[in-house]
Amino acid sequence: MSESGEAGRPAGGNGATAAGIALAQPLDPRAAAYLEGQTRLARLQSQNLIEQNEFEQSHLRWRRFNDQMGGALQMMLVAVGLLIVAAIAAALWDAAHDNGLVIEAFSVPPDLAAKGLTGEVVAGKVQDRLSAFQAQTVSSRASASYANNWGDDIKVQIPNTGVSIGEINRYLRGWLGHETRITGAIYRTPTGIAVLARAGADGSPIFTGSEADLDALIEKAAEHIYRSTQPYRYAIYLFDHQRYAEDRVVLQHIIATGSTIDRAWGYVGMASNAQANGDFIASAGWERKAIAVDPSLVLPRNNLANDDATLQHDEDAIADSRGAIEAAARGDSSMSETSLAHIGPGMRGQLDVLIGDFADALASARQILTLPDFNGSLENARQGVVQACGALYDAACTREAAAGFSASPDPLTLMSRNAARMLAAATTRHWGEALAFEPALHRTLRDGGAPTRFFATTVEGPFYALGAAHAGQLALAHRLIDATPADCVVCLRLHGDIAAVEHRWAAAAWWFARAAAAAPSSPYAYADWGEMLLRKGDFAGAIAQFDIANRKGPHFADPLELWGEALVASNRSDLALAKFEAAARTAPNWGRLHLKWGEALLWLGRRDEAKTQFARAATLDLTAQDARILKALLAKV
């Protein structure tokens, strides 16, 4: 059993038992010492590995920081390089696009320099004069459209010795740019002193005189520089100083030798010159030449429309105004933004006046008043507001606009304001008020030179004639109207109006027919013709003319109101109400309109509504005759 039991134990049982027995036995001292030494060695190696790991990590961190710093330094070097390249490129670009004017120190005699009149001082005087010329030159033309535009970039160059950033920059501008360089000298002559100044390689006249004349000689030299470097601006300068003959010479040279854009603007300048001499027909011709040279230009189209309106060539003015409006909408890079901004509303207002849309004309004038002033545009717009309010029969609006004028010492401005008031009074049939302005206004226009004399003939004179006719001054009326041109459309109309005042119906119809033929797109001749027939008692004929006028000018209140009057006179007050209502949408503050509207309602038996219209009329402007009519109608309510 025991043998069989030993035989049945697992084979590993003896080894485990042996190990347990061995461990339970005391170690040999040598073995124990060996094991302890191995243990210490293992601990030291472990500690060393830990310390070495910390060192390696620190080293790696330093290497990474070093690499980062090296990368950052490289990036900084690249950035500095890019900045240098960008600075060089900017300097090259700036130099290549430099169109400024550089005035070098003049050569002067030592005795003048000793007195303080050094070459730099003389150059500064020239700079001051050129800057003054620029400040006095106001043009619709954009600076960028000039072939040689130095604008306000005028500087005096003081020579330096050695090499500097300034010298390098100056060299680049001279090499790549388009600077205009002015050199000059002052020297003594046997009889006094001489001044010369040249732009680039151009020759220069020599201006001589006494030393006491030195400032005047410098002025002449500066003016010569301005003419040779900025011919178109110089022409404007001459025009603004009323040196018209010299202005024409410069403009003709520009037209003969300039680029396409310069030639076109040269013709625009010639047109202004012609206007200054009262020749608006010649002015229109020059504007047409400018358009032919460069059809994209806006200003000559605008000016042509103004010329034809001044000439009272209404049909041409309507077409020209529409063309100018379309051109302004397309834009024109050769015009200054300020000037171009005024043309759109300005031309719309003019077209509105030509076709009787005075409410829109008033809105256009008020739009201009929100813009920066340009060459008196705000004054003109305020006068336009006065006239538009008058044409809308809005007395409160007219008074408010007239009260908005600021004090002005300029006699031409005051004269224009009086002309605007006169036209407003004439439109509203206040003939006594209109005539109060007339004698002095007419005399001033007649004696003020060619341009104002022209206005006395074609604008103010015809209305003066009509006012005189209504005042019973028929001889004066005929003398004034007979002096007007045969192609003046408003003159033809007022010929007819004066004939109607005299009850010469056939003659009036003849004049209105001529006016309608001359301006078939305008509603005015037809409206006047209809009013004449209404006063004659031909109500059907009047209505036919008012219908035509309304189709020509659908926003023109006058033919609608008069059409209503003709219907009332024809015992069709029921149909008249729609005409009065339509007229009121455009001219809501017209006293006579509400008076006649109330009359139509009264005849229809609608007394309460009639009272409302009569009450409205009583608060508005009425002529003396209409006030009497209102009083009589109120007695019937």
Side-chain angles (χ1 to χ4, degrees), residues 523-546:
Y524 292 110
Y526 302 103
D528 289 350
W529 199 342
E531 186 172 6
M532 179 272 291
L533 292 171
L534 174 62
R535 306 302 175 225
K536 179 185 176 184
D538 183 355
F539 306 133
I543 289 171
Q545 296 298 333
F546 295 142

Side-chain angles (χ1 to χ4, degrees), residues 298 301-303 305-306 309 317-331 339-371 381 384 388 524 555:
V298 174
R301 294 183 181 277
N302 173 83
N303 293 350
N306 289 332
I318 290 171
D320 296 337
S321 298
R322 287 173 174 153
I325 292 168
E326 293 171 2
R330 292 192 297 268
S339 177
L340 187 60
H342 288 78
I343 286 182
M347 282 293 97
R348 284 196 303 275
Q350 177 161 281
L351 177 61
D352 290 334
V353 169
L354 289 164
I355 61 176
D357 190 350
F358 293 104
D360 199 60
L362 178 60
S364 295
R366 286 174 170 165
Q367 181 182 348
I368 293 174
L369 291 175
T370 67
L371 300 174
Y524 292 110
H555 301 290

Side-chain angles (χ1 to χ4, degrees), residues 293-544:
V293 170
D294 191 342
S296 69
L297 295 187
V298 174
L299 188 63
R301 294 183 181 277
N302 173 83
N303 293 350
L304 178 60
N306 289 332
D307 285 342
D308 278 325
T310 301
L311 291 163
Q312 307 298 333
H313 295 171
D314 291 15
E315 193 67 18
D316 289 338
I318 290 171
D320 296 337
S321 298
R322 287 173 174 153
I325 292 168
E326 293 171 2
R330 292 192 297 268
D332 183 352
S333 61
S334 73
M335 285 192 70
S336 70
E337 293 183 5
T338 302
S339 177
L340 187 60
H342 288 78
I343 286 182
M347 282 293 97
R348 284 196 303 275
Q350 177 161 281
L351 177 61
D352 290 334
V353 169
L354 289 164
I355 61 176
D357 190 350
F358 293 104
D360 199 60
L362 178 60
S364 295
R366 286 174 170 165
Q367 181 182 348
I368 293 174
L369 291 175
T370 67
L371 300 174
D373 190 33
F374 182 79
N375 258 355
S377 59
L378 299 188
E379 173 67 31
N380 292 336
R382 289 187 184 96
Q383 294 178 23
V385 170
V386 170
Q387 294 182 48
C389 291
L392 291 170
Y393 302 93
D394 191 336
C397 174
T398 303
R399 286 193 299 270
E400 180 183 357
F405 287 128
S406 58
S408 174
D410 180 29
L412 287 177
T413 297
L414 298 176
M415 178 182 66
S416 296
R417 291 175 181 179
N418 286 337
R421 293 189 182 102
M422 180 276 296
L423 289 171
T427 303
T428 54
R429 273 70 168 180
H430 289 291
W431 304 115
E433 183 180 343
L435 286 174
F437 288 106
E438 284 296 2
L441 178 59
H442 188 74
R443 184 168 56 252
T444 303
L445 288 169
R446 186 193 59 203
D447 300 338
T452 58
R453 190 159 52 245
F454 184 87
F455 280 96
T457 303
T458 62
V459 180
E460 177 267 345
F463 284 96
Y464 186 6
L466 183 61
H470 278 280
Q473 303 174 33
L474 295 175
L476 173 60
H478 281 286
R479 185 167 69 251
L480 291 168
I481 199 66
D482 290 345
T484 60
D487 61 348
C488 164
V489 174
V490 72
C491 305
L492 298 175
R493 286 174 43 218
L494 297 186
H495 266 291
D497 288 336
I498 292 169
V501 170
E502 299 173 307
H503 292 183
R504 294 188 297 113
W505 312 120
W510 185 82
W511 285 110
F512 293 139
R514 284 189 60 187
S521 300
S522 169
Y524 292 110
Y526 302 103
D528 289 350
W529 199 342
E531 186 172 6
M532 179 272 291
L533 292 171
L534 174 62
R535 306 302 175 225
K536 179 185 176 184
D538 183 355
F539 306 133
I543 289 171

